[in-house]
Amino acid sequence: QVQLIESGGGLVQAGGSLRLSCQASGRTSSPSHMAWFRQAPGKERDLLAAISALGGRTYASDSVKGRFTISRDNAKNTLTLQMNDLKLEDTAIYYCAARPPTTRWVDYWDAKQYDTWGQGTQVTVSS
């Protein structure tokens, strides 16, 4: 029903910055709660940041707090992850995801509630 497409991944040196975008389809649909996840090789999928349907509330994990910023533009149906001071440990595939606006904000941590996922975009941080 709703489709998400990530873009903006690539190769960047440690200490550098990168901006990821997620384009959402569904012009007449209500905005969804959204989030960014990442998965490194051999690691489990981790929640990085989340944002409420109207953008009023955000969450950032301890590992990226102060470095990564999540934002959205509902008029353009886009979600953004601004990544600064990138580290080698940030190398992973990054995914955007959406969950219904009827879900509770306090459940942002619950990956099972995210019912729509993008295909992922690779971010590689080099020394």
Side-chain angles (χ1 to χ4, degrees):
Q1 187 175 18
V2 178
Q3 294 183 351
L4 303 176
I5 302 177
E6 302 97 335
S7 62
L11 177 65
V12 64
Q13 293 187 53
S17 298
L18 206 61
R19 180 181 291 118
L20 304 183
S21 295
C22 175
Q23 181 69 52
S25 65
R27 301 173 185 175
T28 61
S29 299
S30 299
S32 298
H33 299 311
M34 300 194 72
W36 287 98
F37 292 79
R38 71 183 179 189
Q39 187 167 24
K43 303 291 185 178
E44 67 179 7
R45 183 182 58 196
D46 291 329
L47 173 66
L48 300 180
I51 188 167
S52 60
L54 299 181
R57 288 167 287 187
T58 60
Y59 160 83
S61 68
D62 290 341
S63 64
V64 303
K65 188 176 298 183
R67 298 190 299 123
F68 293 8
T69 302
I70 189 171
S71 62
R72 66 191 300 160
D73 185 341
N74 286 354
K76 298 181 179 180
N77 294 313
T78 57
L79 178 75
T80 298
L81 184 67
Q82 177 64 48
M83 305 185 294
N84 297 325
D85 191 25
L86 284 160
K87 304 176 180 180
L88 294 179
E89 295 76 21
D90 294 321
T91 295
I93 300 176
Y94 285 68
Y95 300 90
C96 65
R99 62 189 174 99
T102 52
T103 57
R104 303 182 305 168
W105 165 248
V106 293
D107 291 334
Y108 65 87
W109 55 268
D110 189 357
K112 294 182 179 179
Q113 293 190 16
Y114 294 87
D115 55 11
T116 304
W117 295 79
Q119 84 287 352
T121 185
Q122 177 71 48
V123 172
T124 302
V125 183
S126 67
S127 61

